[in-house]
Amino acid sequence: MTGLALADVACMRGGRMLFAGVSVALGAGDAALVSGPNGVGKSSLIRIAAGLLCPAAGAVTRDGAVALLGESHALDPELPLARALAFWIGGRTEAAMAAVGLAHLAAVPVRVLSTGQRRRAGLARVVGADAPIWLLDEPANGLDADGVTQIETLIAAHRAAGGIAIVATHQPVALPGAVRVTLH
Ligand SMILES: Nc1ncnc2c1ncn2[C@@H]1O[C@H](COP(=O)(O)OP(=O)(O)OP(=O)(O)O)[C@@H](O)[C@H]1O
């Protein structure tokens, strides 16, 4: 059974306590929307949820594979987009590129993609990861209005299929019924 739970989690960075007492429990189809001002610890919370950062207190329980959209898309800049994505998501590349509106750029080297296109490429990695738990850090950064709608649609489809999403964002991203996690 897919699940992700943070129980009384605290985060310390650079010797400073960023937040404490954060609890959220998500099951199949659930989502959480993480918000708060710059530097409050949203990205850190996403990294804790991903298991990339150790909480200073509390516990994280993860039931299912994780796909992370972070600052870096981790795609080889010299490779054509389709080959760079295929390194991570293999045979699901074509469908993932189509899902994020990048099918027409399959042969273009990653390094020449625009900011929004790079963001979409990162999303394609998540879409093609076939992982039930999506952790998305500022997924709408650099995207135009259609791109944001596309993300909302992709997240909704992922949830409808039993997936989970945690989204940290400054920009409005519609996540119907999401748990709100507001960091102060
Ligand atoms: N590796 C690190 N070592 C020490 N401090 C760090 C490290 N990474 C981040 N921090 C600090 O932790 C705090 C929270 O950073 P984080 O990126 O989680 O915030 P955020 O809420 O996502 O910010 P933003 O809205 O600007 O993206 C910041 O003050 C940052 O300087």
Side-chain angles (χ1 to χ4, degrees):
M1 176 78 181
T2 302
L4 175 64
L6 276 63
D8 222 9
V9 162
C11 176
M12 179 100 92
R13 296 210 92 170
R16 228 161 35 91
M17 190 64 92
L18 292 179
F19 56 80
V22 170
S23 295
V24 57
L26 305 173
D30 290 341
L33 184 66
V34 182
S35 57
N38 288 139
V40 77
K42 300 178 297 300
S43 298
S44 303
L45 180 63
I46 292 279
R47 292 180 70 77
I48 286 173
L52 296 173
L53 188 63
C54 235
V60 180
T61 317
R62 231 174 280 103
D63 203 348
V66 165
L68 171 69
L69 177 73
E71 260 170 44
S72 152
H73 53 50
L75 297 172
D76 187 331
E78 298 306 325
L79 287 182
L81 177 61
R83 278 182 53 206
L85 279 169
F87 175 80
W88 295 103
I89 60 176
R92 291 184 292 273
T93 296
E94 209 173 312
M97 281 191 308
V100 301
L102 290 182
H104 62 299
L105 298 177
V108 168
V110 169
R111 70 183 148 74
V112 307
L113 296 179
S114 73
T115 304
Q117 288 166 346
R118 281 200 301 274
R119 204 66 188 153
R120 285 170 187 254
L123 276 167
R125 248 192 85 183
V126 169
V127 168
D130 204 21
I133 301 172
W134 285 8
L135 302 175
L136 310 179
D137 193 1
E138 302 289 356
N141 260 7
L143 292 191
D144 56 26
D146 281 352
V148 176
T149 304
Q150 214 160 32
I151 293 182
E152 292 169 346
T153 306
L154 287 168
I155 296 172
H158 176 65
R159 293 171 68 191
I164 286 172
I166 298 188
V167 180
T169 183
H170 285 293
Q171 286 159 262
V173 174
L175 284 180
V179 177
R180 296 192 76 98
V181 178
T182 307
L183 301 179
H184 302 283

